[in-house]
Amino acid sequence: MAKIKADVVIQNAGELVTVASKGKPLAGKNAGHIGVIPDGALAIAGHRIIAVGTTSAVLKNVDAADAQIFDASGKTVLPGFVDCHTHLVFAGSREDELELKAQGVPYLEILKRGGGILQTVRQTRAASKGQLVENAVRTLNTMLEHGTTTIEAKSGYGLEVKTEMKILDAATQAAKRSPVEIVNTFLGAHAVPPDATADQYTKTVIEEMIPQAVGKAEYGDVFCEKDVFSVDQSRRILKAGKKVGLKTRIHADQLNRTGGAELAAEVNAVSADHLIHASTDGIRRMAQSGTVAVLLPATGLSSMLPYAQARAFIDAGVPVALGTDFNPNCWCESMPFSMALACRYLKMTAAEAIAASTINAAHSLNRADRIGSLEVGKQADAVILDAPNHQFVPYQFGVNRVQTVIKKGNVVVQKSNE
Ligand code: NIG
Ligand code: FE
């Protein structure tokens, strides 16, 4: 039988990690079963992966005569990272808050003073869509250089119909100018605007914003938090979104134990995010509803707050995913850095952190059939890191070891020293 012609072949990898998971998230005892192949290779034709295995097995099965060859000796090959929680689109920055946080001023106090999210809302309302697109493209480029090939992007710095829609449109336009794929989430309920009560604004979100977000966003989200949106208001918002086809994510139990994990399970949320203060019962219920726990260690670092306890979720069988939570409070575009934090503060193993940054994150975006692992037939999204093995990836931090990024079969990042 004629061999299939490969366009790109990565070969001789110190380790190639497939993260193949038989269609399910890697959870419980399997949370770290990522499939490490020493002397690994990957062959790509067009957008797709056509062979994965040891170098000798792959070269036996494909025709590599005309392929672009990458020698990954001494390096690690991973699936492209999936950053499943970002606030991509906004204007301005909030470096002034770093000192306040160091002095111990609480996050919700900064918000009450009109800073935090509300500061970014003022700047984002004043920005043109074009400016927002430029900002977003710059961020996407940095993410891509750090190995991220797909992200989720939330709105939430408009808190009024016009600007919320401007943000969603800006994300869609930015996606056209970057190889990074974007999944849009409508987060109109990110804070209460100064001219409304939480109840009044909940009504605006449900009656005026959600209908307009349909077609622009795939998910609906809410910041369920003490003094922001109550469990009851969050439930109403999430259910209204669901009714018109927005799948559910939720900022849950981030700063206080509010019952966010329980609500996530009740409404069958695809993901519940942050979860620092989730209750044992909430975690148990999330395991039953199959909700993915999206943990965001960079937020703990930037906010100087405690970290979620990943082991409790893993032990309960809840799939754990990681994200950067890129936003003006947490200016972090790097998944490897988030993994480095996860291994130290969330007590995850390197293998668990890799699964959480690839296949589990893909599951949390309902895209695991196409991305998140290196398997035959899947979209060819892959990263070559200058790291001798997968454990080295979260071990080193503060530098970028990503050398090559391949998105949909195209080489989109190539460091010159390769
Ligand atoms: O996920 N907690 C709410 N939302 C963001 C922070 C947004 C901001 O402070 O601008 C988060 O951490
Ligand atoms: Fe967030």
Side-chain angles (χ1 to χ4, degrees):
M1 217 173 69
K3 294 180 182 178
I4 311 176
K5 259 184 157 346
D7 297 317
V8 175
V9 172
I10 303 170
Q11 61 190 35
N12 307 324
E15 286 186 3
L16 182 139
V17 180
T18 67
V19 205
S21 69
K22 301 203 174 87
K24 289 203 180 119
L26 290 173
K29 287 192 174 60
N30 295 326
H33 288 182
I34 55 173
V36 178
I37 304 176
D39 189 15
L42 178 75
I44 298 166
H47 291 175
R48 309 246 151 249
I49 295 169
I50 56 166
V52 191
T54 59
T55 300
S56 62
V58 167
L59 293 180
K60 223 179 271 163
N61 289 324
V62 303
D63 173 0
D66 299 325
Q68 183 178 5
I69 306 282
F70 289 88
D71 177 23
S73 305
K75 294 174 188 165
T76 297
V77 180
L78 299 178
F81 299 127
V82 178
D83 186 348
C84 59
H85 183 133
T86 87
H87 302 251
L88 173 73
V89 178
F90 58 85
S93 57
R94 306 214 305 260
E95 57 275 32
D96 54 311
E97 290 174 11
L98 181 54
E99 282 173 31
L100 294 176
K101 289 182 277 189
Q103 286 159 14
V105 183
Y107 180 87
L108 290 174
E109 175 58 30
I110 297 174
L111 185 61
K112 253 186 217 155
R113 294 180 192 175
I117 294 174
L118 294 176
Q119 167 66 21
T120 305
V121 166
R122 286 190 291 276
Q123 290 177 293
T124 305
R125 284 180 179 177
S128 69
K129 198 197 301 179
Q131 283 169 316
L132 296 178
V133 174
E134 291 306 319
N135 290 352
V137 169
R138 210 176 317 126
T139 302
L140 290 171
N141 287 340
T142 308
M143 290 172 163
L144 192 67
E145 280 168 18
H146 288 81
T148 298
T149 47
T150 301
I151 69 162
E152 183 258 13
K154 301 173 195 297
S155 71
Y157 293 111
L159 309 185
E160 61 181 8
V161 182
K162 189 176 72 180
T163 310
E164 285 298 317
M165 299 309 128
K166 179 172 78 176
I167 292 168
L168 291 173
D169 290 340
T172 302
Q173 284 185 21
K176 293 190 181 130
R177 289 182 39 196
S178 166
V180 178
E181 271 180 85
I182 298 186
V183 180
N184 270 353
T185 293
F186 168 67
L187 175 57
H190 194 195
V192 181
D195 54 356
T197 63
D199 238 358
Q200 285 166 341
Y201 185 62
T202 297
K203 203 163 172 278
T204 306
V205 170
I206 293 172
E207 291 175 7
E208 294 174 37
M209 292 187 178
I210 287 177
Q212 291 206 41
V214 175
K216 294 182 192 286
E218 192 174 325
Y219 288 88
D221 195 344
V222 59
F223 187 19
C224 179
E225 183 56 63
K226 183 168 168 274
D227 297 335
V228 190
F229 296 97
S230 68
V231 166
D232 181 55
Q233 288 158 345
S234 301
R235 182 188 288 112
R236 276 155 47 204
I237 291 167
L238 295 173
K239 282 195 167 167
K242 236 183 172 179
K243 236 190 196 160
V244 292
L246 297 177
K247 289 170 275 181
T248 307
R249 321 182 79 74
I250 174 168
H251 282 67
D253 298 317
Q254 179 183 1
L255 303 163
N256 296 281
R257 180 170 293 177
T258 52
E262 288 85 342
L263 176 63
E266 178 195 320
V267 298
N268 273 308
V270 183
S271 84
D273 302 38
H274 289 290
L275 297 165
I276 289 102
H277 301 282
S279 73
T280 309
D281 195 45
I283 294 172
R284 190 182 55 77
R285 291 192 206 183
M286 278 178 62
Q288 285 164 357
S289 62
T291 301
V292 178
V294 174
L295 306 183
L296 304 160
T299 314
L301 183 77
S302 68
S303 296
M304 305 177 204
L305 287 171
Y307 293 85
Q309 285 313 305
R311 298 257 57 93
F313 292 91
I314 292 170
D315 292 347
V318 177
V320 170
L322 290 170
T324 59
D325 196 16
F326 172 79
N327 73 66
N329 178 55
C330 174
W331 201 297
C332 172
E333 292 99 336
S334 167
M335 287 300 289
F337 183 62
S338 300
M339 289 156 64
L341 294 172
C343 292
R344 287 160 181 84
Y345 294 110
L346 276 53
K347 314 297 177 199
M348 294 173 76
T349 65
E352 288 167 350
I354 289 169
S357 304
T358 54
I359 195 68
N360 286 4
H363 272 285
S364 90
L365 297 176
N366 285 116
R367 276 163 172 70
D369 55 334
R370 185 160 59 78
I371 59 171
S373 62
L374 300 177
E375 293 178 84
V376 172
K378 274 195 151 179
Q379 184 170 297
D381 294 0
V383 183
I384 306 176
L385 294 114
D386 185 12
N389 56 62
H390 73 276
Q391 287 175 308
F392 206 93
V393 175
Y395 163 67
Q396 190 184 25
F397 56 89
V399 292
N400 183 11
R401 284 284 174 172
V402 171
Q403 290 221 316
T404 306
V405 181
I406 295 176
K407 177 67 183 176
K408 288 189 186 159
N410 297 309
V411 180
V412 289
V413 172
Q414 179 58 60
K415 293 271 168 68
S416 51
N417 62 346
E418 235 284 305

